[in-house]
Amino acid sequence: MSIATPLNATLQRSPPPPSFSVFSPIHPTTLSVTGTRKRCLRMVVTSCVSHSQSSVQNGVTDAVSARNQIRLGLPSKGRMATDTLDLLKDCQLSVKQVNPRQYVAQIPQLPNTEVWFQRPKDIVRKLLSGDFDLGIVGLDIVSEFGQGNDDLIIVHEALNFGDCHLSLAIPNYGIFENINSLKELAQMPQWTAERPLRVATGFTYLGPKFMKDNGIKHVTFSTADGALEAAPAMGIADAILDLVSSGTTLKENNLKEIEGGVVLQSQAALVASRRALTERTGALDTVHEILERLEAHLKAAGQFTVVANMRGTDAEEVAVRLKTQPSLSGLQGPTISPVYCKRDGKVSIEFYAIVICVPKKALYESVQQLRAVGGSGVLVSPLTYIFDEETPRWSQLLSNLGL
């Protein structure tokens, strides 16, 4: 199995980590410079290498321990950037950017935190280098550029946007017409050491790793300019490995996904540096606050508060009636409170107020069930936050950190 670079590439990729042997070794590009420029270049390179050696220890820069501000990396462009800012705003963590062209911003509710807008892959790289402490990126980017590094911790793996999956796709015509699974693809006699299966992808770590983990040999990987979906039709690849959302683009280009060909499921996630959380003052407290706000908002998403009045002799009798309806249990059970009315100058209890939490998809059914057992004056309002006693993900994080 090997990886080929584009023909128009001017510089070859840096060699991968030695622990992953599926990559073929790639030698650094040699630069030819003459005269004074050569001497200057040698001085610059020597200076940079010397600085790098003195400032990097175990892959993390000294900046981790030197700075006081906590740095949060956010996507700089596209739908991912918009959805990230919207989510933070919904959690009362609005990002304030003085100038939209600037890469640095603030979150007033987190006064010791800087927001840096970067490309998703650079967010992961900066988390590993110690330049960032937190970041919001897709799980696919974390897996591709983090490459299983233990310093990366997934604090919250499901922020409910950026949903997609990384999948292998092949043409639905020609020699692939009756191929519908990864196993069938691997068993095709066409693939040999001299003529391997050619896969176009931008995921040059996850792609080879996936093939190796599934015991598939005789595969070569290459990158392609532009849309990957065009690569098979152009004859420069047999298959592609790319992110899929709805699958419409694949179908429009006569491509199909196959059984067993999904590499990973992905959506936006909150990621942190293990070293930052354990060594930087205030980092763990900041993560706790962000996590609580995220959890409370995401748990409330799609939930409604339903309030109704119900006539009854006592709270227990009303509860029994409610329990006969499957959609009226709420989060932990309905809240039933007496409604005090004044009759003939005396205070009496004839009605009870019912409060339950209902998912959006079951809202109308729940209202109908309330009416069926005597509910009236039904009020419905969306929920913004549901704060638990403690978020389970916080306990998981502390356990992961050994705290």
Side-chain angles (χ1 to χ4, degrees), residues 73-259:
L74 300 182
S76 56
K77 295 180 180 179
R79 179 67 179 271
M80 195 78 167
T82 301
D83 289 346
T84 299
L85 293 178
D86 288 344
L87 174 62
L88 291 174
K89 182 179 180 181
D90 289 339
C91 296
Q92 303 299 310
L93 293 173
S94 295
V95 177
K96 302 299 182 183
Q97 195 174 10
V98 177
N99 187 331
R101 294 179 180 271
Q102 290 180 338
Y103 290 100
V104 188
Q106 304 291 329
I107 297 178
Q109 289 76 16
L110 304 174
N112 197 40
T113 301
E114 293 178 343
V115 173
W116 288 75
F117 294 101
Q118 299 281 291
R119 295 182 301 177
K121 63 182 180 181
D122 290 333
I123 292 175
V124 176
R125 287 168 175 164
K126 286 179 170 61
L127 283 168
L128 291 174
S129 68
D131 293 310
F132 283 174
D133 306 309
L134 310 169
I136 294 180
V137 289
L139 289 172
D140 58 302
I141 300 299
V142 176
S143 300
E144 173 67 18
F145 295 95
Q147 301 187 6
N149 193 301
D150 187 57
D151 189 59
L152 290 180
I153 294 182
I154 307 296
V155 179
H156 197 303
E157 76 290 349
L159 298 183
N160 287 359
F161 66 91
D163 289 7
C164 60
H165 59 276
L166 182 61
S167 182
L168 189 69
I170 59 176
N172 56 19
Y173 52 85
I175 62 173
F176 300 101
E177 184 174 2
N178 297 316
I179 302 300
N180 297 299
S181 70
L182 185 65
K183 182 178 180 180
E184 292 174 347
L185 179 65
Q187 292 175 346
M188 291 178 69
Q190 285 88 345
W191 321 130
T192 64
E194 293 73 26
R195 173 58 173 91
L197 173 70
R198 300 169 301 161
V199 180
T201 185
F203 292 84
T204 54
Y205 169 77
L206 290 176
K209 184 177 185 299
F210 175 74
M211 292 299 188
K212 181 182 179 182
D213 291 346
N214 284 276
I216 301 176
K217 301 179 180 179
H218 309 315
V219 183
T220 183
F221 288 84
S222 65
T223 58
D225 293 329
L228 290 180
E229 290 82 3
M234 294 177 65
I236 60 177
D238 302 303
I240 68 170
L241 185 70
D242 202 9
L243 294 175
V244 179
S245 295
S246 64
T248 302
T249 304
L250 291 180
K251 293 178 182 178
E252 290 177 346
N253 286 275
N254 297 314
L255 298 173
K256 62 182 178 182
E257 296 183 77
I258 56 177
E259 180 184 351

